[in-house]
Coordinates of all heavy atoms in Angstrom, one line a residue:
A293 N 0.8 -1.2 0.0 CA 0.0 0.0 0.0 C 0.9 1.2 0.0 O 0.5 2.3 -0.5 CB -0.9 0.0 1.2
E294 N 2.0 1.2 0.6 CA 2.9 2.4 0.6 C 3.6 2.6 -0.7 O 4.1 3.7 -1.0 CB 3.9 2.3 1.7 CG 4.8 1.0 1.6 CD 5.3 0.5 3.0 OE1 4.6 0.6 4.0 OE2 6.5 0.1 3.0
R295 N 3.7 1.5 -1.5 CA 4.4 1.7 -2.9 C 3.4 1.1 -3.9 O 3.4 -0.1 -4.2 CB 5.7 0.9 -3.0 CG 6.8 1.6 -2.2 CD 8.1 0.8 -2.3 NE 8.5 0.8 -3.7 CZ 9.7 1.3 -4.1 NH1 10.5 1.9 -3.3 NH2 10.1 1.1 -5.4
P296 N 2.5 1.9 -4.5 CA 1.6 1.4 -5.5 C 2.3 1.0 -6.7 O 3.5 1.3 -7.0 CB 0.7 2.6 -5.8 CG 1.3 3.8 -5.1 CD 2.3 3.4 -4.2
R297 N 1.6 0.2 -7.5 CA 2.2 -0.3 -8.8 C 1.9 0.6 -10.0 O 0.7 1.0 -10.1 CB 1.5 -1.7 -9.0 CG 1.9 -2.4 -10.3 CD 1.5 -3.8 -10.3 NE 0.1 -4.0 -10.0 CZ -0.8 -4.4 -10.9 NH1 -0.5 -4.6 -12.1 NH2 -2.1 -4.5 -10.5
L298 N 2.9 1.0 -10.7 CA 2.8 1.8 -11.9 C 2.8 0.8 -13.1 O 3.8 0.2 -13.4 CB 3.9 2.8 -12.1 CG 4.0 3.5 -13.4 CD1 2.7 4.3 -13.6 CD2 5.2 4.4 -13.4
T299 N 1.6 0.6 -13.7 CA 1.5 -0.4 -14.8 C 1.3 0.4 -16.1 O 0.7 1.4 -16.1 CB 0.3 -1.4 -14.6 OG1 0.3 -2.3 -15.7 CG2 -1.0 -0.7 -14.5
V300 N 2.0 -0.1 -17.1 CA 2.0 0.7 -18.4 C 1.5 -0.3 -19.5 O 2.0 -1.5 -19.6 CB 3.5 1.1 -18.7 CG1 3.6 1.8 -20.1 CG2 4.0 2.0 -17.6
T301 N 0.7 0.2 -20.3 CA 0.2 -0.5 -21.5 C 0.5 0.3 -22.7 O 0.1 1.5 -22.8 CB -1.4 -0.7 -21.4 OG1 -1.6 -1.4 -20.1 CG2 -1.9 -1.6 -22.5
I302 N 1.1 -0.3 -23.7 CA 1.4 0.4 -24.9 C 0.9 -0.4 -26.1 O 1.2 -1.6 -26.3 CB 3.0 0.6 -25.1 CG1 3.5 1.4 -23.9 CG2 3.3 1.3 -26.4 CD1 5.0 1.5 -23.9
S303 N 0.0 0.2 -26.9 CA -0.5 -0.4 -28.1 C 0.1 0.2 -29.3 O 1.0 1.0 -29.2 CB -2.1 -0.3 -28.1 OG -2.4 1.1 -28.4
N304 N -0.4 -0.1 -30.5 CA 0.1 0.5 -31.7 C -0.1 2.0 -31.8 O 0.6 2.7 -32.4 CB -0.4 -0.2 -33.0 CG 0.2 -1.5 -33.1 OD1 1.2 -1.8 -32.6 ND2 -0.6 -2.4 -33.8
L305 N -1.3 2.5 -31.2 CA -1.6 3.9 -31.3 C -1.6 4.6 -30.0 O -1.5 5.9 -30.1 CB -3.1 3.9 -31.9 CG -3.3 3.4 -33.3 CD1 -4.8 3.5 -33.7 CD2 -2.5 4.2 -34.3
H306 N -1.8 4.0 -28.9 CA -1.9 4.7 -27.6 C -1.0 4.2 -26.5 O -0.6 3.0 -26.6 CB -3.4 4.6 -27.2 CG -4.4 5.2 -28.1 ND1 -4.4 6.6 -28.3 CD2 -5.3 4.7 -29.0 CE1 -5.3 6.9 -29.1 NE2 -5.9 5.7 -29.6
V307 N -0.8 5.0 -25.5 CA -0.1 4.7 -24.3 C -0.9 5.0 -23.1 O -1.6 6.1 -23.1 CB 1.2 5.6 -24.3 CG1 2.0 5.2 -23.0 CG2 2.1 5.4 -25.5
S308 N -0.9 4.1 -22.1 CA -1.6 4.5 -20.9 C -0.8 4.0 -19.7 O -0.1 3.0 -19.8 CB -3.0 3.8 -20.9 OG -3.0 2.4 -20.9
A309 N -1.0 4.7 -18.6 CA -0.3 4.3 -17.4 C -1.3 4.5 -16.2 O -2.1 5.4 -16.2 CB 0.9 5.2 -17.2
Q310 N -1.2 3.6 -15.2 CA -2.1 3.6 -14.1 C -1.3 3.4 -12.8 O -0.3 2.6 -12.8 CB -3.2 2.6 -14.1 CG -4.2 2.7 -15.2 CD -5.2 1.6 -15.1 OE1 -4.9 0.5 -14.7 NE2 -6.4 1.9 -15.5
L311 N -1.7 4.1 -11.7 CA -1.1 3.8 -10.4 C -2.2 3.0 -9.7 O -3.3 3.5 -9.5 CB -0.8 5.1 -9.6 CG 0.4 5.9 -10.1 CD1 0.4 7.2 -9.4 CD2 1.6 5.1 -9.9
I312 N -1.8 1.8 -9.3 CA -2.8 0.9 -8.7 C -2.4 0.5 -7.3 O -1.2 0.1 -7.1 CB -2.9 -0.4 -9.6 CG1 -3.4 0.0 -11.0 CG2 -3.9 -1.4 -8.9 CD1 -3.3 -1.2 -12.0
D313 N -3.3 0.6 -6.4 CA -3.1 0.1 -5.0 C -3.7 -1.3 -5.0 O -4.9 -1.6 -5.0 CB -3.9 1.0 -4.0 CG -3.7 0.5 -2.6 OD1 -3.0 -0.5 -2.3 OD2 -4.2 1.2 -1.7
D314 N -2.8 -2.3 -5.0 CA -3.2 -3.7 -5.0 C -3.8 -4.2 -3.8 O -4.7 -5.1 -3.8 CB -2.0 -4.6 -5.4 CG -1.5 -4.4 -6.8 OD1 -2.4 -4.3 -7.7 OD2 -0.3 -4.5 -7.1
V315 N -3.5 -3.6 -2.6 CA -4.1 -4.0 -1.4 C -5.6 -3.7 -1.4 O -6.5 -4.5 -1.0 CB -3.4 -3.3 -0.2 CG1 -4.1 -3.7 1.1 CG2 -2.0 -3.8 -0.1
A316 N -6.0 -2.4 -1.8 CA -7.3 -2.0 -1.8 C -8.0 -2.4 -3.1 O -9.2 -2.3 -3.2 CB -7.4 -0.5 -1.5
G317 N -7.3 -2.7 -4.1 CA -7.8 -3.0 -5.4 C -8.4 -1.8 -6.1 O -9.4 -1.9 -6.8
K318 N -7.7 -0.6 -6.0 CA -8.2 0.6 -6.5 C -7.2 1.3 -7.5 O -6.0 1.1 -7.2 CB -8.5 1.7 -5.4 CG -9.7 1.4 -4.7 CD -10.0 2.6 -3.8 CE -11.3 2.5 -3.1 NZ -11.6 3.6 -2.2
T319 N -7.6 2.0 -8.5 CA -6.8 2.8 -9.3 C -6.7 4.1 -8.7 O -7.7 4.8 -8.5 CB -7.3 2.9 -10.7 OG1 -7.4 1.6 -11.3 CG2 -6.5 3.7 -11.6
L320 N -5.5 4.6 -8.4 CA -5.3 5.9 -7.7 C -5.2 7.0 -8.7 O -5.6 8.1 -8.4 CB -4.0 5.8 -6.9 CG -4.0 4.7 -5.8 CD1 -2.6 4.6 -5.1 CD2 -5.1 4.8 -4.8
A321 N -4.5 6.8 -9.8 CA -4.4 7.8 -10.9 C -4.1 7.1 -12.2 O -3.7 6.0 -12.2 CB -3.2 8.7 -10.5
A322 N -4.5 7.8 -13.3 CA -4.3 7.2 -14.6 C -4.0 8.3 -15.6 O -4.5 9.5 -15.4 CB -5.6 6.5 -15.0
A323 N -3.3 8.0 -16.6 CA -3.0 8.9 -17.7 C -3.0 8.1 -19.0 O -2.4 7.0 -19.0 CB -1.6 9.6 -17.5
T324 N -3.5 8.7 -20.1 CA -3.6 8.0 -21.3 C -3.7 8.9 -22.5 O -4.1 10.1 -22.3 CB -4.8 7.0 -21.3 OG1 -4.8 6.3 -22.6 CG2 -6.2 7.8 -21.2
T325 N -3.3 8.5 -23.7 CA -3.5 9.3 -24.9 C -4.8 9.0 -25.6 O -5.1 9.7 -26.5 CB -2.3 8.9 -25.9 OG1 -2.4 7.5 -26.2 CG2 -1.0 9.3 -25.3
V326 N -5.6 8.0 -25.1 CA -6.9 7.8 -25.7 C -7.8 9.0 -25.4 O -7.9 9.4 -24.3 CB -7.5 6.5 -25.1 CG1 -8.9 6.2 -25.6 CG2 -6.6 5.3 -25.4
G327 N -8.4 9.5 -26.5 CA -9.3 10.6 -26.3 C -8.6 11.9 -26.4 O -9.3 13.0 -26.2
T328 N -7.3 12.0 -26.5 CA -6.6 13.2 -26.7 C -6.1 13.4 -28.1 O -6.1 12.5 -28.9 CB -5.4 13.3 -25.7 OG1 -4.5 12.3 -26.1 CG2 -5.8 13.1 -24.3
K329 N -5.7 14.6 -28.4 CA -5.2 14.8 -29.7 C -3.7 14.9 -29.7 O -3.1 15.9 -30.2 CB -5.8 16.1 -30.3 CG -7.3 16.0 -30.4 CD -7.9 17.0 -31.2 CE -9.4 16.8 -31.3 NZ -10.1 17.5 -32.4
A330 N -3.1 14.0 -29.0 CA -1.6 14.0 -28.8 C -1.0 13.7 -30.2 O -1.5 12.8 -31.0 CB -1.2 12.9 -27.9
T331 N 0.0 14.5 -30.5 CA 0.7 14.3 -31.8 C 2.2 13.9 -31.5 O 2.6 14.1 -30.4 CB 0.6 15.6 -32.6 OG1 1.2 16.6 -31.9 CG2 -0.8 15.9 -33.0
G332 N 2.8 13.5 -32.5 CA 4.2 13.1 -32.4 C 4.4 11.6 -32.5 O 3.4 10.9 -32.8
T333 N 5.6 11.2 -32.3 CA 5.9 9.8 -32.4 C 5.4 9.1 -31.1 O 5.1 9.7 -30.1 CB 7.4 9.5 -32.5 OG1 8.1 10.0 -31.3 CG2 8.0 10.2 -33.7
M334 N 5.4 7.8 -31.2 CA 4.9 7.0 -30.0 C 5.9 7.2 -28.8 O 5.5 7.2 -27.6 CB 4.8 5.5 -30.3 CG 3.6 5.2 -31.1 SD 2.1 5.6 -30.2 CE 2.1 4.3 -28.9
T335 N 7.2 7.4 -29.1 CA 8.1 7.7 -28.0 C 7.8 9.0 -27.4 O 7.9 9.1 -26.1 CB 9.6 7.6 -28.6 OG1 9.8 6.4 -29.3 CG2 10.6 7.8 -27.5
E336 N 7.5 10.0 -28.2 CA 7.2 11.3 -27.6 C 5.9 11.3 -26.8 O 5.8 11.9 -25.7 CB 7.0 12.4 -28.7 CG 8.3 12.7 -29.4 CD 8.1 13.5 -30.7 OE1 7.0 13.6 -31.2 OE2 9.1 13.9 -31.3
K337 N 4.9 10.5 -27.3 CA 3.6 10.3 -26.5 C 3.9 9.6 -25.2 O 3.3 10.0 -24.2 CB 2.6 9.5 -27.3 CG 2.0 10.2 -28.5 CD 1.1 9.3 -29.3 CE 0.6 9.9 -30.5 NZ -0.4 9.0 -31.2
S338 N 4.8 8.6 -25.2 CA 5.1 7.9 -24.0 C 5.8 8.8 -23.0 O 5.5 8.8 -21.8 CB 6.1 6.8 -24.3 OG 5.5 5.8 -25.2
A339 N 6.7 9.7 -23.4 CA 7.3 10.7 -22.5 C 6.3 11.6 -21.9 O 6.3 11.9 -20.7 CB 8.4 11.5 -23.2
V340 N 5.3 12.1 -22.7 CA 4.2 12.9 -22.2 C 3.4 12.2 -21.1 O 3.1 12.8 -20.1 CB 3.3 13.4 -23.3 CG1 2.1 14.1 -22.8 CG2 4.1 14.3 -24.2
I341 N 3.1 11.0 -21.3 CA 2.3 10.2 -20.4 C 3.1 10.0 -19.1 O 2.6 10.0 -18.0 CB 1.8 8.9 -21.0 CG1 0.8 9.2 -22.1 CG2 1.2 8.0 -19.9 CD1 -0.4 10.0 -21.7
G342 N 4.4 9.7 -19.2 CA 5.3 9.6 -18.1 C 5.3 10.8 -17.2 O 5.2 10.7 -16.0
T343 N 5.4 12.0 -17.8 CA 5.4 13.2 -17.1 C 4.0 13.4 -16.4 O 4.0 13.8 -15.3 CB 5.7 14.4 -18.1 OG1 6.9 14.1 -18.7 CG2 5.7 15.7 -17.4
E344 N 3.0 13.2 -17.1 CA 1.6 13.4 -16.7 C 1.3 12.5 -15.4 O 0.7 12.9 -14.4 CB 0.6 13.1 -17.8 CG -0.8 13.5 -17.5 CD -1.7 13.3 -18.7 OE1 -1.3 13.6 -19.8 OE2 -2.9 13.0 -18.4
I345 N 1.7 11.2 -15.5 CA 1.4 10.3 -14.4 C 2.2 10.7 -13.2 O 1.7 10.5 -12.1 CB 1.5 8.8 -14.8 CG1 0.9 7.9 -13.8 CG2 3.0 8.4 -14.9 CD1 -0.6 7.9 -13.8
A346 N 3.4 11.1 -13.4 CA 4.2 11.6 -12.3 C 3.7 12.8 -11.6 O 3.7 12.9 -10.3 CB 5.7 11.9 -12.7
K347 N 3.1 13.7 -12.3 CA 2.5 14.9 -11.8 C 1.2 14.5 -11.0 O 1.0 15.1 -9.9 CB 2.1 15.9 -12.9 CG 3.3 16.6 -13.4 CD 2.9 17.6 -14.5 CE 4.2 18.3 -15.1 NZ 3.9 19.2 -16.2
K348 N 0.5 13.6 -11.5 CA -0.7 13.1 -10.8 C -0.3 12.4 -9.5 O -1.0 12.5 -8.5 CB -1.6 12.2 -11.7 CG -2.3 13.0 -12.8 CD -3.2 12.1 -13.6 CE -3.9 12.9 -14.6 NZ -4.9 12.1 -15.4
A349 N 0.8 11.7 -9.5 CA 1.2 11.0 -8.3 C 1.7 12.0 -7.3 O 1.4 11.8 -6.1 CB 2.4 10.1 -8.7
K350 N 2.3 13.1 -7.7 CA 2.7 14.1 -6.7 C 1.5 14.7 -6.1 O 1.5 15.0 -4.9 CB 3.5 15.2 -7.5 CG 4.9 15.0 -7.6 CD 5.6 16.2 -8.2 CE 7.0 15.9 -8.5 NZ 7.7 17.1 -9.2
K351 N 0.4 14.9 -6.8 CA -0.8 15.6 -6.3 C -1.4 14.7 -5.2 O -2.0 15.2 -4.2 CB -1.8 15.8 -7.4 CG -1.6 17.0 -8.2 CD -2.7 17.2 -9.2 CE -2.3 18.3 -10.2 NZ -3.4 18.4 -11.2
I352 N -1.3 13.4 -5.3 CA -1.9 12.5 -4.3 C -0.8 12.0 -3.3 O -1.0 11.0 -2.6 CB -2.7 11.3 -4.9 CG1 -1.8 10.5 -5.9 CG2 -3.9 11.8 -5.6 CD1 -2.5 9.3 -6.4
K353 N 0.3 12.7 -3.3 CA 1.4 12.5 -2.4 C 2.0 11.1 -2.5 O 2.3 10.5 -1.4 CB 0.9 12.8 -1.0 CG 0.6 14.3 -0.8 CD 0.1 14.6 0.5 CE -0.2 16.1 0.6 NZ -1.3 16.5 1.4
I354 N 2.3 10.6 -3.7 CA 3.0 9.4 -3.9 C 4.3 9.7 -4.5 O 4.4 10.4 -5.5 CB 2.2 8.5 -4.8 CG1 0.9 8.0 -4.1 CG2 3.0 7.2 -5.2 CD1 0.0 7.2 -5.0
S355 N 5.4 9.2 -3.9 CA 6.7 9.5 -4.5 C 7.5 8.2 -4.9 O 8.4 8.3 -5.7 CB 7.6 10.3 -3.4 OG 7.7 9.5 -2.3
A356 N 7.1 7.1 -4.4 CA 7.8 5.9 -4.8 C 6.7 4.8 -5.2 O 5.7 4.7 -4.6 CB 8.5 5.3 -3.6
V357 N 7.0 4.2 -6.4 CA 6.2 3.2 -6.9 C 7.0 1.9 -7.3 O 8.2 2.0 -7.4 CB 5.4 3.7 -8.2 CG1 4.5 4.8 -7.8 CG2 6.4 4.1 -9.3
V358 N 6.2 0.9 -7.7 CA 6.8 -0.3 -8.2 C 6.5 -0.3 -9.7 O 5.3 -0.2 -10.1 CB 6.3 -1.6 -7.5 CG1 6.8 -2.9 -8.2 CG2 6.6 -1.6 -6.0
F359 N 7.5 -0.5 -10.5 CA 7.2 -0.4 -12.0 C 6.9 -1.7 -12.6 O 7.6 -2.7 -12.4 CB 8.5 0.2 -12.7 CG 8.3 0.6 -14.1 CD1 7.4 1.5 -14.4 CD2 9.1 0.1 -15.1 CE1 7.2 2.0 -15.7 CE2 9.0 0.5 -16.4 CZ 8.0 1.4 -16.7
D360 N 5.7 -1.8 -13.2 CA 5.2 -3.0 -13.8 C 5.3 -2.9 -15.4 O 4.5 -2.1 -15.9 CB 3.8 -3.3 -13.4 CG 3.2 -4.6 -14.0 OD1 3.9 -5.3 -14.6 OD2 2.0 -4.8 -13.7
R361 N 6.2 -3.6 -16.0 CA 6.4 -3.5 -17.5 C 5.4 -4.3 -18.3 O 5.4 -4.2 -19.5 CB 7.8 -3.9 -17.9 CG 8.9 -3.3 -17.1 CD 10.2 -3.8 -17.6 NE 10.6 -5.1 -17.0 CZ 10.9 -6.1 -17.6 NH1 11.0 -6.1 -18.9 NH2 11.2 -7.3 -17.0
N362 N 4.6 -5.2 -17.6 CA 3.7 -6.1 -18.3 C 4.4 -7.0 -19.3 O 3.9 -7.3 -20.4 CB 2.6 -5.3 -19.0 CG 1.5 -4.8 -18.0 OD1 1.3 -5.5 -17.0 ND2 0.9 -3.7 -18.3
G363 N 5.6 -7.4 -18.9 CA 6.4 -8.3 -19.8 C 7.1 -7.7 -21.0 O 7.7 -8.4 -21.8
R364 N 7.0 -6.4 -21.1 CA 7.6 -5.7 -22.2 C 9.1 -5.5 -21.9 O 9.5 -5.3 -20.8 CB 7.0 -4.3 -22.5 CG 5.6 -4.4 -23.1 CD 5.1 -3.1 -23.4 NE 5.8 -2.4 -24.4 CZ 5.5 -2.4 -25.7 NH1 4.4 -3.1 -26.1 NH2 6.2 -1.8 -26.6
Q365 N 9.9 -5.5 -23.0 CA 11.3 -5.2 -22.9 C 11.5 -3.7 -22.5 O 10.9 -2.9 -23.0 CB 12.0 -5.5 -24.2 CG 13.5 -5.4 -24.1 CD 14.2 -5.8 -25.4 OE1 13.5 -6.0 -26.4 NE2 15.5 -6.0 -25.4
Y366 N 12.4 -3.5 -21.6 CA 12.7 -2.1 -21.1 C 13.6 -1.4 -22.2 O 14.8 -1.4 -22.1 CB 13.4 -2.1 -19.8 CG 13.6 -0.8 -19.2 CD1 12.6 -0.1 -18.5 CD2 14.8 -0.1 -19.3 CE1 12.7 1.1 -18.0 CE2 15.0 1.2 -18.8 CZ 13.9 1.8 -18.1 OH 14.1 3.0 -17.6
A367 N 12.9 -0.9 -23.2 CA 13.6 -0.1 -24.2 C 12.6 0.7 -25.0 O 11.4 0.6 -24.8 CB 14.3 -1.1 -25.2
G368 N 13.1 1.7 -25.7 CA 12.3 2.5 -26.6 C 11.2 3.3 -25.9 O 11.5 4.1 -25.0
R369 N 10.0 3.0 -26.2 CA 8.8 3.7 -25.7 C 8.7 3.6 -24.2 O 8.4 4.5 -23.5 CB 7.5 3.2 -26.3 CG 7.5 3.4 -27.8 CD 6.4 2.7 -28.5 NE 6.5 2.8 -29.9 CZ 5.8 2.1 -30.8 NH1 5.0 1.2 -30.3 NH2 5.9 2.4 -32.0
L370 N 8.9 2.4 -23.6 CA 8.8 2.1 -22.2 C 9.9 2.9 -21.4 O 9.6 3.4 -20.4 CB 8.9 0.6 -21.9 CG 8.5 0.2 -20.6 CD1 7.1 0.4 -20.3 CD2 8.8 -1.3 -20.4
K371 N 11.1 2.9 -22.0 CA 12.2 3.6 -21.4 C 11.9 5.1 -21.4 O 12.2 5.8 -20.4 CB 13.5 3.3 -22.1 CG 14.7 4.0 -21.5 CD 16.0 3.5 -22.2 CE 17.2 4.0 -21.6 NZ 17.3 5.4 -21.3
A372 N 11.3 5.6 -22.5 CA 11.0 7.1 -22.6 C 10.0 7.5 -21.5 O 10.1 8.5 -20.8 CB 10.5 7.4 -23.9
L373 N 9.0 6.6 -21.3 CA 8.0 6.9 -20.2 C 8.6 6.9 -18.8 O 8.4 7.7 -18.0 CB 6.9 5.8 -20.3 CG 5.7 6.1 -19.4 CD1 4.4 5.7 -20.2 CD2 5.8 5.3 -18.1
A374 N 9.5 5.8 -18.6 CA 10.1 5.7 -17.3 C 11.0 6.9 -17.0 O 11.0 7.4 -15.9 CB 10.8 4.4 -17.2
D375 N 11.8 7.3 -18.0 CA 12.7 8.4 -17.8 C 12.0 9.7 -17.5 O 12.4 10.5 -16.7 CB 13.7 8.5 -19.0 CG 14.7 7.4 -19.1 OD1 14.9 6.7 -18.1 OD2 15.2 7.2 -20.2
A376 N 10.9 9.9 -18.2 CA 10.1 11.1 -18.0 C 9.5 11.2 -16.6 O 9.5 12.2 -16.0 CB 9.0 11.3 -19.1
A377 N 9.0 10.0 -16.2 CA 8.5 9.9 -14.8 C 9.5 10.2 -13.8 O 9.3 10.9 -12.8 CB 7.8 8.6 -14.6
R378 N 10.7 9.6 -14.0 CA 11.8 9.9 -13.0 C 12.2 11.3 -13.0 O 12.6 11.8 -11.9 CB 13.0 9.0 -13.4 CG 12.8 7.5 -13.0 CD 14.1 6.8 -13.2 NE 13.9 5.4 -12.9 CZ 14.0 4.4 -13.8 NH1 14.2 4.7 -15.1 NH2 13.8 3.1 -13.4
Q379 N 12.2 12.0 -14.1 CA 12.6 13.4 -14.2 C 11.6 14.3 -13.4 O 12.0 15.3 -12.9 CB 12.7 13.9 -15.6 CG 14.0 13.4 -16.3 CD 14.0 13.9 -17.8 OE1 13.1 14.5 -18.3 NE2 15.1 13.6 -18.4
E380 N 10.4 13.8 -13.3 CA 9.4 14.6 -12.5 C 9.4 14.2 -11.0 O 8.7 14.8 -10.3 CB 8.0 14.3 -13.1 CG 7.7 15.0 -14.4 CD 7.6 16.5 -14.2 OE1 7.1 17.0 -13.2 OE2 8.2 17.1 -15.1
G381 N 10.3 13.3 -10.7 CA 10.5 13.0 -9.2 C 9.9 11.7 -8.8 O 10.0 11.4 -7.6
L382 N 9.4 10.9 -9.6 CA 8.8 9.6 -9.2 C 10.0 8.6 -9.0 O 10.9 8.5 -9.9 CB 7.8 9.1 -10.3 CG 6.8 8.1 -9.8 CD1 5.9 8.7 -8.7 CD2 5.9 7.8 -11.0
E383 N 10.0 7.8 -8.0 CA 11.1 6.9 -7.7 C 10.6 5.5 -7.9 O 9.6 5.1 -7.4 CB 11.6 7.1 -6.3 CG 12.2 8.4 -6.0 CD 12.6 8.5 -4.5 OE1 12.7 7.5 -3.8 OE2 12.7 9.6 -4.0
F384 N 11.4 4.7 -8.7 CA 11.2 3.3 -8.8 C 12.4 2.6 -9.3 O 13.4 3.2 -9.7 CB 10.0 2.9 -9.7 CG 9.9 3.6 -11.1 CD1 10.6 3.0 -12.2 CD2 9.3 4.8 -11.2 CE1 10.5 3.6 -13.4 CE2 9.3 5.4 -12.5 CZ 9.9 4.9 -13.6

């Protein structure tokens, strides 16, 4: 409960990230490109979502999370999201 899970889903068109409290079974915060007019490459979209989820985490006073890659290799889009979240102060 003190370290929620940051789970990332990346499809061909969209990127989404959620902060999940597994003990309570609740989503604490979420950020996604679905329904937005985000432009740029998928790597740029991933970086924007990483920044956005980190800002939302700060608002609800979360500074440390557990990073859930969902089996994806830590490279490219996933790395861009993680680096952007770390630059905003999120620790994992």
Side-chain angles (χ1 to χ4, degrees):
E294 57 207 40
R295 287 179 65 117
R297 178 169 49 110
L298 172 61
T299 183
V300 178
T301 305
I302 300 175
S303 70
N304 288 337
L305 296 176
H306 297 289
V307 179
S308 63
Q310 292 182 329
L311 287 173
I312 301 171
D313 180 358
D314 287 322
V315 175
K318 286 186 171 182
T319 298
L320 305 173
T324 184
T325 59
V326 177
T328 63
K329 298 192 180 199
T331 58
T333 64
M334 284 298 290
T335 305
E336 292 167 350
K337 289 180 187 179
S338 296
V340 168
I341 295 301
T343 302
E344 191 176 322
I345 196 72
K347 287 180 181 176
K348 288 183 178 186
K350 275 186 187 177
K351 283 184 186 176
I352 57 175
K353 297 180 178 145
I354 294 174
S355 61
V357 296
V358 176
F359 193 57
D360 181 6
R361 308 179 280 125
N362 283 329
R364 290 183 66 95
Q365 186 177 10
Y366 186 82
R369 299 170 183 167
L370 193 65
K371 184 176 184 311
L373 187 142
D375 290 343
R378 283 189 183 113
Q379 285 178 354
E380 285 294 319
L382 205 57
E383 295 177 19
F384 51 89

